[in-house]
Amino acid sequence: MIRVDNLVKSFGGFRAVDNASLEIATGSITGLIGPNGAGKSTLFNVIAGVHAPTSGRVTMDGEDITGLSPHQLFHKGLLRTFQIAHEFPSLSVRENLMMVPAGQTGETLWNSWFQRARIREEEAALLKKADEVLDFLTISHLKDEKAGNLSGGQKKLLELGRTMMVEAKIVFLDEVGAGVNRTLLNTIGDAIVRLNKERGYTFCVIEHDMDFIGRLCDPVIVMAEGKVLAEGSAAHIMENEAVIEAYLGTGLKNKVKSDEQAEVMADESHGAQPGLGDEAGTGEAS
Amino acid sequence: MSFLNAADMTGGYGKADILHGCTLSVEKGEIAVIVGPNGAGKSTAMKAVFGMLPLRGGSVTFDGEDITALTPQQRVRKGMGFVPQVNNVFPTMTVEENLEMGAFIRTDDFSHTIAQVYDLFPILKEKRRQNAGELSGGQRQQVAVGRALMTRPSLLMLDEPTAGVSPIVMDELFDRIIEVARAGISILMVEQNARQALEIADKGYVLVQGANRYTDTGEALLADPEVRRTFLGG
Amino acid sequence: EDVKMGVLLGFTGPLESLAPAMAAGAEMAMKEVSDSGKLLDGDTVTPVRGDSTCVDAAAATAAGETLVTSDGVKGILGAMCSGATTAVLQNVALPNGMVMISPSATSPALSTVEDNGLFFRTAPSDARQGEVMADEILEKGLKSVAVTYTNNDYGKGLADSFQKAYEAKGGKVTISAAHEDGKGDYSAEVGALASAGGDALVIAGYIDQGGSGILRGALDTGAFDTFVFPDGMVSQTLQDNFGSEINGSFGQLPDSEGQGMDTYLTMAKDAGFDGTSAYSGASYDGAALMLLAMQAAGSTDPNVYKDKIMEIANGPGEKIYPGDLAKGLELLKEGKPIDYEGATAVNLVGSGEAAGTFREIEIKDDKIETVKYR
Amino acid sequence: MSASRQPGETSALRAPLFFAVLALLLVIEGVTSGWNSALGILNMGLLSAIMALGVNLQWGYAGLFNAGAMGFLALGGIAPVLISMPPTPGAFRAGGMGLIAAFAVAIIALILAAQVWRKLRIRGRGLLVTLILIVGFFAYRGLFDPAVAAIEAINPSAAGNLGGLGLPTLVSWPVGALMAAGAAWLVGKTALGLRSDYLAIATLGIAEILVAILKNEQWLDRGVLNVNGIPRPWPVPYEIDLQNSASFVKMAQGWGMDPVLASTLLVKLAFLVLFLIVVLLLIWASQMALKSPWGRMMRAIRDNEVSAAAMGKNVTRRHLQIFVLGSAVIGLAGAMMISLDGQMTPSSYNPLRYTFLILVMVIIGGSGNNWGAALGGVLIWYLWVKAGDWGPDIMTMIAAPFPDGGLKEHLVDSAAHMRMLVMGVLLLLVLRFSPRGLLPEK
Amino acid sequence: MDVINALVAITNYVIIPATAYGAQLALGALGVTLVYSILRFSNFAQGDTMAFGTGVVILITWGFQAMGISFGPLPTALLALPFGIVITAALLLGTDRVVYRYYRVTRASPVVMVMVSVGVMFVMNALTRFLIGVDQINFDDGARFVINARQWREMTGLSEPLTLRSTQLITVITALIVMVALFWFLNRTRTGKSMRAFSDNEDLALLSGIDPQRVVTVTWIITGALATIAGTLYGLDKSFKAFTYFQILLPIFASAVVGGIGSPVGAVVGGFIISFSEVGLTYAWKKVATYLIPGWEPEGLVQLLSTDYKYAVSFTILILVLIFRPTGLFRGKVV
Ligand SMILES: Nc1ncnc2c1ncn2[C@@H]1O[C@H](COP(=O)(O)OP(=O)(O)OP(=O)(O)O)[C@@H](O)[C@H]1O
Ligand SMILES: Nc1ncnc2c1ncn2[C@@H]1O[C@H](COP(=O)(O)OP(=O)(O)OP(=O)(O)O)[C@@H](O)[C@H]1O
Ligand SMILES: [Mg+2]
Ligand SMILES: [Mg+2]
């Protein structure tokens, strides 16, 4: 279980995460949603050790993991994917997966010279595993392609694929869905559920696709302006007025404003109360 | 002849072709949406239309003129605007400077357009002095679209403009796209939020492996169960 | 037969500005001999240049290697700086039995280096100059001086030997600070020197290198009025660039009294280069020595003619000056002894280095004037 | 620098072909200018290859832009001085203890300062640390200066330094590597957090500092006064000894060779064999490492550090490891070079020759490819040497059509600078027609 | 106690020279910074470009002097400067056309660009020497001093001299003007902004209708101007020698990096930091101490570090700055 207590992360004077506290229960698929700039990715990055928190605490199964570096967290079973895909461009797709598992014999220089047989064995096993994952992600035809040449969506798949190479306790997925074909996203969703059920992975998922969230996640945590705005089941959240106002909106409205009006309103709302809520306010006013 | 007509495009990055006779066309004031699986060549097709990919075959005409041989910046001056899928902001320039750069070819006063963009994406106004590289993913996407709008193009090409933006902003964005189209600007966009996109599309293309699989009106594609199942996620 | 002679100097690198006049000097001697048609059986002499780069021992070795093994030279004039010289000597000349005469390597360490009688130099060791300079300064009644030296074996060797001699005779060195050649800014050095103070500033450097920068800085800031210039500093450039500002300063350089140098200067002028440039005369002498020794030995084999070099340089016999090489060759052919004086009053001592008479100079009325020789 | 490296189709014949061309060039050199010259170039070329392998480890494998090769090379170079030169009589007695005490004081002060900085969480710890450092510095200078003065006073024109241990020169090679590794560890601990060009500039500066130390610390290596007569490594003989040995002379004459020529060739061959062994061992070790999961991990780190860290790789540790290893290889080359030259001349270390030229070797050879680095090392050294020869020839050719006079003379006089020009043009040509190097990374 | 003399000594030997030297470094660093921030590589040819530009200026200066043209109390070289700039910029544009452009189009990685610039450095190095040789050249004419030591002593009656050379004054003023101009140009003008945009994201710049060729051309022209100005002022103040212009590359890079490479203000501040640390930390305080504490004649030099290590000082500072602010004081760029 991951527990975040009063976490604050500021950039200069700006509090991207502002005193957020939340819990991700073991075995759950927790959704994390919120308007753009709510601080979701920043929260992820703090938990995953990319940024040091300004203040606050993160614990995992009761153990304080605040400020541990990413590679230490990896060894504790905490994995993450990136919102903007971070592949290894000059490695082949398969190598991108094979490099993941920790503690490979061949990762020590000494062994690379004197333990060749054992390395060969391990590599064969890894190769098999990587190919399975690639099959699963429907990109096995690209296994020898350099990862740098993949399409945007394919890179996203590769991100997910890497988490499947090891036994993870908890996986943080930062918008795996963005730019991924919906049919494929459904498959990914199924895979997440399966990993959750069969292998006991805990997931924390940032996503803007509400169908996906609705299908997969329970509970769902909503963030806005660095704070936790609401928490509950997906259905429950989608009814929540504040969430609708700040995040979901009311669907296609086909509103056509005159530009002058819009400008005035934009200025007013900016002066009056900066923040994302205004957007919905503007919408309502028209 | 259509306003934009990219006929029979064939080409790729290296030796192997990615596009195999792909054809796209948009009329004036029309919204055309391209959907398809990952790696189908959608972005590649967009780049080809914009002259960022050498074509081995096919031609691109724009406003009745053959532009196959023009460089991207010449196409910009002809009135084409493009938001790429990735790397679509100037990371160490402020939001406002990003927008100004969008208006680079304009010699008139563009402060009004900036105001319009801020109106569309209020968060950008708030962050206008911040470097675009320090924005959240969705905010960045908004900057990218805003930058393209600044050119006041007669054809706007968007590669997954809604990837990573929140539902409310997405709705807003689609609204604005409709609005832009109504003003007579043609829109060609790639979308993975395909159902919403096709709802507003006059024309839809389904691209598979660098070739057109289905071409129809947005509604018709949405209604086709085969298309829905295989490409739109049911 | 065409006798090839190596001219291995630092054409690129920190002393690249000295090299051309040195090479010109050496090549002038070779041309003189060649044109005379009197060397051995009317042999001609062709110079082959090599770039010792001054600081890069490996490159110098490679260049020396090329001269010896591929160009087949019969003697090497060079190298330029002591470091490169040692490298070429030990890695090329010694193994291949090649005679080397350096016109400018002045490090005291070269006096004792193992050389199989193959290495000579027409420049005196710095140890001697240090003593001469100390005497000179004390005679002027200057009891304390600041010293700055170019940070190489020449500068350091000279500064050390000077300091030892000067302090032994009761003088006081307030600071002995190195300066790197080829850097543009010497404010820090000048500041430190000024702060240490002293009756005069000894600049053991090169006039077209850091020495000039230090001098400029010291003059401009008004840190010192009197300067002492060892050989690397005394040249036409000093007079041209600083003449009016350094009246009353003095110095010394290995040089000889008499007609040799004058003749050489005229010859250099006619040939179109600056003969006063440091070591230019010594280069002429080095080249001439080798060629005369060949004549004396009747062979171009370095292992044979090496034994004749000391003999030629130190006499007895008729004195041979620049321009007289043809005469020298003739005399040798007739079996008569000669005493090569050359441009720099060559007189080799010890294991083959210039004994060094020194010319004391003083700057008077914006000009370098010779005071006396010692 | 997160440039994505695109794959290129490279023929398997490419490497053998280039090595064959290289061999041919050397043979031509041997035939036209003598085998001594060819072997000389090859020997130094092999040393350059070792340096290039070291830099390639850092740049090619890990993307660490170390522009301080010169410093580690120089540091490795004092190993033969300290290991294989005879000790200076009386020097250690005069100042050895003082030096040791001074260094002990310095280290204690540094550790103390670091501990205070880390452990104490009180106000004014900055002041306390400064105080410790200042006191430490003066105590250090108080012990150090007299000890140095005492050592430097001993026979200054020939010694003035501590001298060495008088051990075999071969021992100094690994010691040179260790010394460079030690320095690299310290440097890496402080500077490896820096990115790309920043690391480059920092290492460039550190190299300057190291060389400045070697130039100014007379007690250590005689500073700018140079150390001569460093013994050759076993089993390389001396030419003079060979020429004086009757049996060798007879043998040479038996082969129909001039004994002098035979002796010089034999010495070079002996060096060649030693160097070749080291080069091949290094290439083998690097290739094995590169092909193993370790190499994969390093390439992943080079491609994307953030992501590699998220995949559980300790980027800092790996960087330090490879920085130290690469520097050790460079230090090894430094020690070997000094034992080849037989002398240590600290002022000969300049960045153009020992940092930039080595980088040029790696880039032209093909960064990330060990065979490429080795090829680049030998080839570029060959070109560097030959460019010095060709320059004047080319210049004479250029000047030929001009009438005699000022311009022609000026051109001919400028011939020496043709080396730079030829080298620059060659570098640009190779980079132009094979930007990823002659043997690109696979 | 003689505070005035002490102050004069510090001014004369530390403050004035360090300021002038700092301004010289700053001008060079501005050139490096510009190329780095727009074209995204460390230009190792900058030093030799400076040498080339200065060489051209010297030749033209000689021409002017031969024609009897002078610039009053100011050095004639300043008159020749515009011509030097034109020629140097033309050379750089030519270089770009035959060399750099290819790598830009093929998107070579920055380190390849660095290597290419090393190649260009070799070539320029040779070119400069062909042009003007290797000798030291003084081409400073006009009034050398604003205040010289004798005038000062006569004026004030102090025993300590104080001098200010006209070139020092010109350099400092020029450096500040150039810094402000460059900052203004990059951040306020349309062309400047388009250059930054180009450096940020070349593709997107293309999509915004920015002409890359124009950006590159402008960059090289400014670089040529900066290099020529820097080189000429440096040469006027010290003297011209082709070799020193390669040597000065290192402190120039150090300045640019300490300040934060890519930032014009950083380049200038970096230049002063490097120069003051070189001159200040190795200054021997003996004289000043003697003035301040009467009756005390220190035995040693009261010097923190010998001048042998002045380069070490500047690089140590560089490293310290980078450890605490990894992208330099003014937040430079990282490519
Ligand atoms: N390095 C930074 N410097 C300054 N501000 C930053 C930085 N990184 C992020 N921010 C700001 O912090 C806020 C939160 O960003 P974050 O990326 O966490 O948002 P998010 O919730 O992930 O949004 P999205 O859904 O758009 O990805 C944003 O307003 C952003 O502008
Ligand atoms: N720079 C490149 N070099 C080589 N191949 C590339 C490059 N970019 C893309 N490809 C290949 O071209 C194919 C099509 O890529 P493209 O980016 O057009 O897909 P896409 O339809 O936009 O997919 P997505 O929805 O994931 O963005 C993919 O198989 C990809 O691997
Ligand atoms: Mg995010
Ligand atoms: Mg795409």
Side-chain angles (χ1 to χ4, degrees), chain A residues 151-152, chain B residues 42-43 85 159-160 190:
Chain A
S151 78
Chain B
K42 304 183 294 296
S43 302
Q85 184 175 7
D159 196 348
E160 304 203 20
V190 175

Side-chain angles (χ1 to χ4, degrees), chain C residues 46 66 72 74 145 147 155 159-160 174 229 260 301 332-333 339 348-349 357 369:
Chain C
T46 316
T66 311
K74 300 293 182 205
V145 294
V147 178
D160 285 355
T174 58
F229 303 118
D301 183 351
L332 286 170
K333 195 165 239 169
D339 174 15
L348 300 186
V349 297
T357 36
E369 304 215 330

Side-chain angles (χ1 to χ4, degrees), chain B residues 119-195:
Chain B
D119 175 39
L120 174 61
F121 305 120
I123 188 71
L124 299 190
K125 183 163 193 175
E126 207 178 295
K127 300 256 172 198
R128 68 175 184 274
R129 301 248 173 276
Q130 193 163 352
N131 282 353
E134 293 168 354
L135 296 181
S136 80
Q139 292 167 343
R140 236 189 238 232
Q141 203 63 28
Q142 298 173 30
V143 175
V145 176
R147 184 205 60 83
L149 287 175
M150 290 299 297
T151 9
R152 278 212 314 219
S154 53
L155 167 72
L156 182 58
M157 295 168 52
L158 305 160
D159 196 348
E160 304 203 20
T162 65
V165 303
S166 69
I168 197 167
V169 179
M170 182 165 80
D171 293 347
E172 195 82 14
L173 195 67
F174 280 136
D175 278 356
R176 180 47 71 107
I177 287 171
I178 294 170
E179 206 178 298
V180 165
R182 276 189 199 152
I185 297 173
S186 312
I187 309 275
L188 176 63
M189 67 175 173
V190 175
E191 258 307 332
Q192 291 294 6
N193 284 315
R195 264 170 295 163

Side-chain angles (χ1 to χ4, degrees), chain D residues 363-387:
Chain D
I363 302 281
I364 285 195
S367 63
N369 183 326
N370 291 309
W371 289 106
L375 175 78
V378 185
L379 185 66
I380 295 298
W381 175 249
Y382 167 82
L383 292 175
W384 181 252
V385 174
K386 295 311 284 180

Side-chain angles (χ1 to χ4, degrees), chain C residues 120-311:
Chain C
F120 305 87
R121 46 183 169 168
T122 48
S125 156
D126 293 325
R128 168 100 178 103
Q129 184 172 186
E131 280 168 36
V132 172
M133 183 154 66
D135 291 343
E136 207 180 320
I137 295 173
L138 286 169
E139 278 168 26
K140 299 244 181 261
L142 304 177
K143 290 283 178 229
S144 79
V145 294
V147 178
T148 177
Y149 58 89
T150 172
N151 201 13
N152 62 21
D153 46 356
Y154 158 72
K156 175 108 170 106
L158 180 53
D160 285 355
S161 65
F162 164 71
Q163 181 163 7
K164 204 165 136 200
Y166 188 59
E167 285 179 345
K169 291 171 180 156
K172 179 174 182 316
V173 171
T174 58
I175 182 175
S176 180
H179 62 261
E180 293 289 335
D181 281 333
K183 311 269 169 162
D185 186 86
Y186 296 104
S187 322
E189 286 82 355
V190 170
L193 293 168
S195 185
D199 299 334
L201 175 62
V202 176
I203 305 180
Y206 303 104
I207 180 63
D208 55 356
Q209 289 288 338
S212 156
I214 294 271
L215 179 54
R216 182 86 274 158
L219 280 169
D220 284 351
T221 55
F224 291 90
D225 304 317
T226 311
F227 300 89
V228 184
F229 303 118
D231 53 350
M233 293 293 292
V234 185
S235 82
Q236 190 62 33
T237 320
L238 180 70
Q239 177 174 319
D240 292 348
N241 290 351
F242 296 95
S244 62
E245 298 167 87
I246 49 173
N247 281 321
S249 296
F250 57 95
Q252 74 292 319
L253 66 163
D255 201 353
S256 54
E257 201 161 2
Q259 63 193 88
M261 198 61 188
D262 299 341
T263 321
Y264 179 70
L265 292 183
T266 335
M267 285 169 61
K269 200 172 202 169
D270 292 343
F273 66 92
D274 175 21
T276 58
S277 174
Y279 308 121
S280 174
S283 305
Y284 178 94
D285 290 346
L289 267 181
M290 282 188 279
L291 293 168
L292 292 171
M294 287 179 192
Q295 184 82 338
S299 160
T300 56
D301 183 351
N303 274 312
V304 180
Y305 79 76
K306 69 175 184 189
D307 302 328
K308 294 284 178 189
I309 289 180
M310 293 294 270
E311 212 175 297

Side-chain angles (χ1 to χ4, degrees), chain E:
Chain E
M1 187 145 129
D2 193 348
V3 180
I4 304 226
N5 266 322
L7 276 180
V8 171
I10 293 178
T11 313
N12 194 30
Y13 294 113
V14 180
I15 296 177
I16 291 180
T19 310
Y21 180 42
Q24 283 153 355
L25 291 181
L27 277 171
L30 282 169
V32 168
T33 268
L34 184 72
V35 174
Y36 189 90
S37 62
I38 309 297
L39 303 176
R40 295 180 300 256
F41 68 94
S42 303
N43 182 13
F44 279 92
Q46 182 75 8
D48 285 292
T49 311
M50 283 166 62
F52 179 85
T54 316
V56 174
V57 168
I58 292 175
L59 289 179
I60 298 172
T61 307
W62 284 343
F64 281 161
Q65 285 168 341
M67 286 188 281
I69 302 171
S70 81
F71 200 11
L74 294 175
T76 316
L78 294 186
L79 271 186
L81 198 54
F83 301 93
I85 290 177
V86 171
I87 294 174
T88 311
L91 177 78
L92 288 181
L93 289 176
T95 312
D96 185 74
R97 181 65 195 77
V98 278
V99 183
Y100 292 118
R101 198 167 91 163
Y102 170 78
Y103 303 96
R104 222 174 23 250
V105 173
T106 54
R107 303 288 159 88
S109 73
V111 77
V112 171
M113 288 297 261
V114 169
M115 283 304 124
V116 171
S117 83
V118 170
V120 172
M121 171 177 90
F122 284 149
V123 174
M124 286 253 209
N125 188 306
L127 271 188
T128 309
R129 285 160 168 75
F130 288 148
L131 185 73
I132 197 158
V134 293
D135 295 331
Q136 178 160 320
I137 298 169
N138 288 305
F139 59 107
D140 181 16
D141 52 7
R144 273 184 63 75
F145 292 97
V146 179
I147 310 168
N148 76 22
R150 187 161 358 99
Q151 284 169 342
W152 170 263
R153 284 203 179 104
E154 279 164 12
M155 223 163 62
T156 60
L158 290 174
S159 63
E160 269 304 310
L162 184 82
T163 52
L164 178 62
R165 283 200 300 276
S166 32
T167 46
Q168 292 175 323
L169 199 63
I170 297 172
T171 310
V172 173
I173 293 172
T174 315
L176 292 180
I177 292 176
V178 168
M179 174 195 82
V180 172
L182 196 62
F183 187 83
W184 174 82
F185 175 76
L186 288 179
N187 289 292
R188 297 283 179 275
T189 66
R190 206 169 92 97
T191 312
K193 282 184 189 177
S194 73
M195 287 164 69
R196 285 171 50 221
F198 172 84
S199 92
D200 252 19
N201 189 336
E202 210 177 313
D203 279 335
L204 198 60
L206 223 62
L207 297 181
S208 307
I210 294 168
D211 180 2
Q213 202 46 49
R214 199 178 113 88
V215 168
V216 173
T217 307
V218 174
T219 309
W220 283 122
I221 291 177
I222 301 179
T223 308
L226 281 173
T228 314
I229 295 174
T232 304
L233 289 177
Y234 187 74
L236 277 175
D237 191 40
K238 320 279 184 197
S239 71
F240 173 80
K241 194 157 197 300
F243 186 73
T244 52
Y245 283 78
F246 169 71
Q247 297 279 335
I248 199 185
L249 194 63
L250 234 76
I252 282 181
F253 265 106
S255 311
V257 169
V258 164
I261 191 163
S263 150
V265 184
V268 172
V269 173
F272 287 125
I273 290 179
I274 296 295
S275 70
F276 272 88
S277 56
E278 268 188 21
V279 180
L281 289 182
T282 56
Y283 185 64
W285 296 94
K286 175 176 177 179
K287 199 172 207 174
V288 175
T290 326
Y291 281 127
L292 288 180
I293 309 164
W296 182 52
E297 176 90 31
E299 248 312 293
L301 293 166
V302 203
Q303 190 183 20
L304 207 55
L305 265 177
S306 102
T307 48
D308 301 344
Y309 286 114
K310 71 174 185 179
Y311 300 101
V313 170
S314 54
F315 281 110
T316 312
I317 292 202
L318 170 88
I319 290 158
L320 285 179
V321 167
L322 287 183
I323 288 170
F324 290 105
R325 287 198 66 117
T327 50
L329 292 175
F330 285 79
R331 248 224 280 172
K333 233 179 157 125
V334 181
V335 285

